[in-house]
Amino acid sequence: MSQPGRQLALNLFIYPGGHHEAAWRYAASEPHRVLDITYYQELARRAEAAALDAIFFADGPSLPENIRYASRVRFEPVTWLTAIAAVTSRIGLIGTASTTYTDPYNLARLFASLDHISNGRAGWNIVTTSDAAAAQNFGLPEHPPHADRYEQAREFLDVVTKLWDSWEDDALVADRESGLFTDTDRIHRIDHVGRHYRVRGPLPVPRSPQGRPVYVQAGSSEDGRSFAARHAEAIFTAHQTLPSAQAFYADIKARGAALGRRPEHIRILPGLSPFIGSTQAEADRLEEEINDLIQPAVSLEQLRRILGIDFSGYDLDGPFPRHLIDPSGPHGAASRFQLVADIVERERPTLRGLIRRLAGARGHWVLAGTPVRIADAIQTWFESGAADGFNVMPPWLTGGFDVFVAEVVPILRRRGLFRTAYAGTTLRDHYGLPRPESGYAVARRRSA
Amino acid sequence: MSQPGRQLALNLFIYPGGHHEAAWRYAASEPHRVLDITYYQELARRAEAAALDAIFFADGPSLPENIRYASRVRFEPVTWLTAIAAVTSRIGLIGTASTTYTDPYNLARLFASLDHISNGRAGWNIVTTSDAAAAQNFGLPEHPPHADRYEQAREFLDVVTKLWDSWEDDALVADRESGLFTDTDRIHRIDHVGRHYRVRGPLPVPRSPQGRPVYVQAGSSEDGRSFAARHAEAIFTAHQTLPSAQAFYADIKARGAALGRRPEHIRILPGLSPFIGSTQAEADRLEEEINDLIQPAVSLEQLRRILGIDFSGYDLDGPFPRHLIDPSGPHGAASRFQLVADIVERERPTLRGLIRRLAGARGHWVLAGTPVRIADAIQTWFESGAADGFNVMPPWLTGGFDVFVAEVVPILRRRGLFRTAYAGTTLRDHYGLPRPESGYAVARRRSA
């Protein structure tokens, strides 16, 4: 099924210390460097040396609940990526920012900056923020419901898209002789008036190298899919099984096609958290070793956030109280709820078993195996309509990523699935995405 | 009057192309590099090589009115400074951000990031935004009046100060053995409830190296002075004459002392835009040469913003219509209005003469002379109660700064007025400011 020349996209998703919730307690980790920018710069440089498409940072504008026992500080992604942009030249830089808790004019400026500074490597992971605690940091009486957040996100995206288009590409003239600095006929007020926003524009800077940052999206709920099919150019998604990933992939590509989009312009990238060993037994032992560092209080808090249920009074090793799971409750609309409910149905774990299952990467696909087994799995998903690439989520950092680059990437290259060097310079180049023309330039040309 | 060892503070205030409004048309300028981050990184590295205290960026969240003829793009300062932080190690990094048009939680995160990434070199120039056009980019029916903006700024500052204090310095534990990542007794909700903001906190990151960024302020109105005397650690101010600067200096230091502050913890830094020549005639010729590139439309627009009067129908070379200046009008409260009105009263210029007077640095002190004359002026102001240092505003860049470093700085060093190398590593070190302890740590210690 491989199309000639079709290439995997591979991102490094960076969590401080690693994606396993106990990674920071692992002997090879460096928990004191969680706020040391050089730690992240070094990781990004290694990802760039391996010609990965991008690095990726998550975010939420509030203190994580489990900070007492979990290495979950949240630095601000755009500034962090900007400092990384300054010491790299090719790798894409994808940062998460919320449509619910930022202002569109300010967000548009930040990502335009990142795209200018990086010479066209910015990506924006568009989220509506799932953590209800954020509302209290922004004066809202309560966190808006899921559907309302998506409704607002659609308008937010409309506003920032117009702001990023507000300077046509050739608006900067800078002609000393005539004294004309810009061609103001090519700089446009957006005059947006909507339900949530009134924004005049334009931005105070010329259009950035990619025109707009790459639009990334990570929600897999019904609202999330509908939003992604229309707007996303790359989608991060969580799947535990091949059939689940295939169904999601087919659904999104079909929705996109129905909207007139080309399927290859929507890159679907499931998360993959690989424990890698020279033998299967070694990989399993490594996973066990890190699982043994789990602190149940952290895991139970995570489970409470996903399922809306407090399990702290339950026996970790008794039968799992399945009857408590309520898909019609307030958490039921979220894709992560469904994913965990599916694991419970399919595998019937104990509470401790479920905790260990989720500790690796918060519901993402965790796979322990040899480099060949990891590469085989990647190839299978890639060639059977489940993935256009992966968001690589090393269980611990930096070593968990280093071994992926040293052992798995070369296999993928030998199989012709992954580039040996960058062909272009922008994130759009790496993902094979077109550079959008300014909507105002298109309108002006059509009316001419 | 020189106190032994008292040292000048010198910042480089960077405007794209330079501070003279026609600088971008000058043959030695590089107008096509206004969005090239390496241009700014190179400038910052040269300022750091000269051991300057800081670089400084202005900002406003709207398109400048005169963008057709003036090189006045506005990149976002915090991202720009972050990219510069990555390639420097000592120089302070001061960015402007608005209390009227940002959210305190998001702003606190951005500056905490800049302080972390730069290892303690962040400064925040606190502005309320004077350009009324900004309101329309943020859905406000109108730009709030001057006094209201300051009232909101005081609450904003209270909120972000508590957020920056919300982690005590030793809250990050990261003890692998016990599994304790943070000491949550040392991480505090701020639970702010005020007229403009309701913010729970805490921030999602540990306290930054300086505790808080250096608080910088630039308004010289009555509201601005009152705010600055209470909160500012460095003040940027515009004065055309020594007596004006002396009066301002004495007033601020007296207000600060009345509030229990130590005078040396408020660094007063007037702007100075030097045209430097080997002889006075050469310096004057350089000023004339750049003044000849002025486009009157740009200057008249600037004058309209400052005085609230449209002079475009008036004879540039006729007598200045002084009767139009109305200190009781809506612009009269701003310090820049008063400064321009004073020039008109004192010098009785023509409209063209006033334009040339202001084109150099928007009302800041412009001085043409030999290196010795510039150094003499700096020393005089420094030693006669008018300044603790200067915000150096080169009329054109980069050459106008290079000659200041090459010709004026060595004279100041020979006179013992300016450091030859950095003694410390943070902006607080350079300015001689204390590192504030977290207010929550102080309260906890007192109650213990």
Side-chain angles (χ1 to χ4, degrees), chain A residues 315-335:
Chain A
D315 179 4
L316 286 173
D317 298 305
F320 185 88
R322 285 193 293 133
H323 65 281
L324 294 179
I325 293 182
D326 176 14
S328 65
H331 293 63
S335 54

Side-chain angles (χ1 to χ4, degrees), chain B residues 336-408:
Chain B
R336 198 57 53 90
F337 180 100
Q338 197 53 53
L339 183 146
V340 174
D342 287 350
I343 292 176
V344 170
E345 274 312 298
R346 199 169 57 243
E347 304 178 9
R348 304 288 170 99
T350 61
L351 188 50
R352 189 187 303 279
L354 183 63
I355 281 173
R356 291 171 83 98
R357 193 76 171 71
L358 297 176
R362 307 174 308 288
H364 282 275
W365 183 27
V366 177
L367 182 62
T370 62
V372 167
R373 187 178 173 208
I374 305 289
D376 286 350
I378 288 174
Q379 182 166 9
T380 298
W381 284 43
F382 182 57
E383 296 183 343
S384 57
D388 295 315
F390 288 88
N391 231 8
V392 180
M393 304 168 63
W396 93 101
L397 289 170
T398 59
F401 177 61
D402 295 334
V403 67
F404 180 83
V405 167
E407 305 287 340
V408 179

Side-chain angles (χ1 to χ4, degrees), chain B residues 10-13 47 52-56 91-94 427 430-431:
Chain B
L10 293 176
N11 301 327
L12 169 60
F13 180 177
L52 260 63
D53 293 77
I55 60 167
F56 168 60
I91 194 154
L93 306 163
I94 304 173
L427 180 54
H430 307 337
Y431 278 164

